[in-house]
Amino acid sequence: MEQKVCIAMVPCPGLSHLIPLVEFAKLLVLHHKNFHVKFLIPTLGPPTPSTNSILNSLPPNIDFTFLPPINIQDLPPNIHISTQMILTVKHSLPSLYQAINTILTSSQSKNNLVALVFDVFSTDVIDIAKKFNLLSYVFATSSAIALQFCLNLPKLDETISSEFMDTTKTFDIPNSKVSFKVKDFPDPVLFGRSSKTYKSFLHLFQRFSLVDGIIINSFKDLEQDTIKSMEDFLNVYPVGPIIQKESKSKENESKCITWLNKMPQKSVLFISFGSGGTLTNEQINEIAFGLELSGFNFLWVLRVPSKHSNSAYFSGSSQKSNHDSDDDPLKYLPLGFLERTKDQGLVVPSRAPQIEILSHGSTGGFLTHCGWGSSLESLVYGVPMICWPLFAEQRMNAATLTDVFKVAVRPKIDEEDEIIKGEEVARVIKIIMDQNLRDSEGLQLRRRIEDLRVGAAAAVSEDGS
């Protein structure tokens, strides 16, 4: 039997990092019949049901192995989620070395291992690739613009000033035509140069010159200038948009689709904050007020409120996340809201099939946390967005969607109460959803995202680049 070309992929913990890498692997084995992909997965604890569901449905040319879980006692207490992901991979390197050595030395292996592909937060895997003389590729689950900022971080760090960390300032990204407000920088940067979170984040991008290439989940029609500027000094491969073909969670699917089927075309605002986003109870009340005030149809995926925005997507977490609790999210809505809006909207608890909803003809807008996966899904299906970032690099994504791609609006936070008021929620909903306003901001957004939808379709076509 002919020996297959084997590629080992090392994700970092977190569904939002695992899913796009899995989808990329599926495309590789679909288009290259002689390829075999093996996932070697660092873990902090037992895999979640969602993780198991994704991995157990892989095609025959892809398999997976969970590396032994690291000891949580070996991690510093109260560390940021990004540092936790980085250290989980770093502490898993001995196990990864053994796993790869076994693949390479096994006399029964039918696979010729040639390369390691790993997540941005798994960059320490470069050391393993070098030891075994394997090709190494980073798979970036972010936009090219966000990656460009991070790639420039080591150089910025050498010449950093107090102005760089002044959140009231705007900062030009080197080798780019893009500017960002400092307050929209990714979370680890805002911790400051002296923090361990910042230092571990910086460490990742100081090593990018060592890899053989960077694979980006984006496409040239979307980020042509940024991708071109990166190609001047790195091997860059834009392979996107890579999204799931269907939602893994079928929770509430029949209820949502049946309801959407009764709604007019482009009339429904879909509201969801991804796999781990939660809001405070006060903010939930303001969104509810804004929805009523707007009068537009809505489908809202609601989770139990928390004191702060939540990153419960971390797959290795041993803690039970808010949206997996037995608490009923709907009881946190304002008194009488469900009755008053029974003809206007549908509220479902915890989860909904996002792909099926965004691709439905009745969906006309998406209020999103701006995770890159959700942003790409919205672009692919031509659904304009209301940006509501919560954590990680989502604020940078929001700024990109509104100011660079011009396919979204972003509500203003009330500076006194540090919350988005219901009147502001209603205002941005009207911009996105009102189809009757001619020469409006919303009309321009819809035209722009339709152009990008066509570009996304061309990028993933058989002859797309």
Side-chain angles (χ1 to χ4, degrees):
M1 182 179 292
E2 184 182 358
Q3 198 174 41
K4 286 184 176 290
V5 174
C6 182
I7 299 168
M9 295 193 177
V10 186
C12 74
L15 278 179
S16 62
H17 294 262
L18 174 66
I19 289 172
L21 200 54
V22 165
E23 296 300 322
F24 175 58
K26 288 179 182 178
L27 288 173
L28 275 182
V29 299
L30 175 66
H31 292 290
H32 302 278
K33 302 301 182 185
N34 66 323
F35 277 22
H36 181 93
V37 175
K38 186 171 187 66
F39 277 88
L40 302 171
I41 305 172
T43 60
L44 181 59
T48 65
S50 296
T51 300
N52 283 329
S53 174
I54 291 166
L55 295 173
N56 288 328
S57 61
L58 293 172
N61 272 15
I62 305 176
D63 60 33
F64 66 93
T65 297
F66 286 112
L67 299 177
I70 69 165
N71 188 348
I72 195 170
Q73 302 300 323
D74 292 337
L75 302 183
N78 303 317
I79 55 174
H80 187 263
I81 185 69
S82 63
T83 308
Q84 192 177 46
M85 290 191 290
I86 294 167
L87 290 179
T88 297
V89 175
K90 191 176 186 67
H91 285 274
S92 297
L93 291 181
S95 300
L96 179 63
Y97 180 94
Q98 291 179 5
I100 292 175
N101 189 55
T102 299
I103 295 172
L104 289 170
T105 58
S106 173
S107 59
Q108 298 178 341
S109 176
K110 300 175 182 178
N111 299 318
N112 176 31
L113 181 61
V114 298
L116 290 180
V117 178
F118 41 89
D119 188 271
V120 168
F121 286 94
S122 302
T123 305
D124 282 321
V125 172
I126 291 172
D127 296 334
I128 303 292
K130 297 300 180 186
K131 285 180 180 178
F132 289 106
N133 198 29
L134 299 170
L135 294 170
S136 59
Y137 296 89
V138 173
F139 184 88
T141 55
S142 67
S143 69
I145 289 174
L147 181 62
Q148 172 80 310
F149 167 78
C150 293
L151 288 174
N152 275 288
L153 193 58
K155 187 175 293 185
L156 294 173
D157 183 74
E158 293 174 3
T159 58
I160 211 159
S161 67
S162 58
E163 187 173 290
F164 178 71
M165 296 310 302
D166 184 344
T167 57
T168 66
K169 301 291 185 179
T170 298
F171 200 85
D172 295 329
I173 307 303
N175 304 315
S176 172
K177 298 177 181 178
V178 182
S179 298
F180 287 104
K181 294 177 181 176
V182 171
K183 66 181 180 181
D184 287 330
F185 285 176
D187 283 350
V189 179
L190 296 181
F191 275 79
R193 291 185 74 198
S194 61
S195 72
K196 291 181 179 179
T197 300
Y198 174 85
K199 289 177 181 177
S200 62
F201 192 69
L202 176 66
H203 166 76
L204 299 177
F205 300 101
Q206 288 172 328
R207 314 197 71 205
F208 264 57
S209 60
L210 301 175
V211 301
D212 293 292
I214 301 176
I215 303 163
I216 306 177
N217 191 7
S218 188
F219 55 104
K220 286 189 175 180
D221 271 8
L222 183 65
E223 303 187 87
Q224 185 167 1
D225 290 342
T226 302
I227 290 171
K228 188 176 184 304
S229 71
M230 292 169 62
E231 287 174 336
D232 291 339
F233 58 95
L234 289 167
N235 294 320
V236 178
Y237 306 96
V239 298
I242 296 175
I243 63 170
Q244 296 181 84
K245 297 292 186 283
E246 62 178 15
S247 303
K248 298 300 179 186
S249 172
K250 298 300 182 181
E251 219 171 305
N252 297 311
E253 180 175 21
S254 177
K255 186 176 185 179
C256 291
I257 302 305
T258 299
W259 184 83
L260 282 170
N261 288 341
K262 300 174 184 177
M263 296 292 110
Q265 290 283 302
K266 305 293 183 183
S267 69
V268 175
L269 174 69
F270 176 48
I271 306 167
S272 177
F273 293 93
S275 58
T278 58
L279 303 172
T280 64
N281 197 25
E282 183 182 10
Q283 188 63 81
I284 287 173
N285 287 334
E286 292 294 339
I287 290 178
F289 173 56
L291 289 169
E292 278 196 81
L293 188 62
S294 77
F296 288 97
N297 299 328
F298 63 88
L299 197 169
W300 186 1
V301 182
L302 185 66
R303 299 207 176 98
V304 174
S306 63
K307 292 181 180 179
H308 305 285
S309 60
N310 190 308
S311 52
Y313 62 82
F314 184 56
S315 66
S317 175
S318 59
Q319 296 177 347
K320 198 172 188 180
S321 64
N322 282 1
H323 59 274
D324 286 328
S325 72
D326 297 326
D327 204 355
D328 180 11
L330 274 59
K331 76 179 185 182
Y332 293 94
L333 289 165
L335 187 65
F337 173 80
L338 292 175
E339 178 62 26
R340 293 192 301 272
T341 60
K342 62 183 180 181
D343 297 324
Q344 178 189 352
L346 174 67
V347 184
V348 295
S350 302
R351 295 181 179 88
Q354 182 161 298
I355 297 292
E356 289 75 8
I357 292 170
L358 286 175
S359 62
H360 197 283
S362 295
T363 303
F366 183 21
L367 194 160
T368 172
H369 67 306
C370 302
W372 186 237
S374 290
S375 301
L376 279 179
E377 288 164 8
S378 207
L379 286 163
V380 165
Y381 294 111
V383 181
M385 288 164 268
I386 296 172
C387 294
W388 199 297
L390 298 176
F391 48 79
E393 89 293 358
Q394 293 166 12
R395 292 180 302 276
M396 184 167 278
N397 289 342
T400 302
L401 291 165
T402 54
D403 301 336
V404 183
F405 302 160
K406 301 186 186 303
V407 295
V409 292
R410 189 172 178 181
K412 298 174 183 176
I413 298 175
D414 185 287
E415 293 184 3
E416 184 176 339
D417 294 333
E418 296 186 343
I419 197 168
I420 299 172
K421 296 289 191 177
E423 294 89 351
E424 177 66 4
V425 174
R427 183 186 73 83
V428 293
I429 290 175
K430 185 173 183 178
I431 291 173
I432 289 291
M433 299 301 299
D434 196 331
Q435 307 280 334
N436 298 318
L437 295 177
R438 296 187 179 275
D439 299 321
S440 65
E441 181 181 355
L443 179 62
Q444 299 304 316
L445 295 175
R446 289 190 290 275
R447 286 175 175 171
R448 172 64 176 155
I449 203 166
E450 176 60 22
D451 289 342
L452 290 176
R453 184 193 68 77
V454 173
V460 296
S461 66
E462 189 171 338
D463 58 349
S465 58

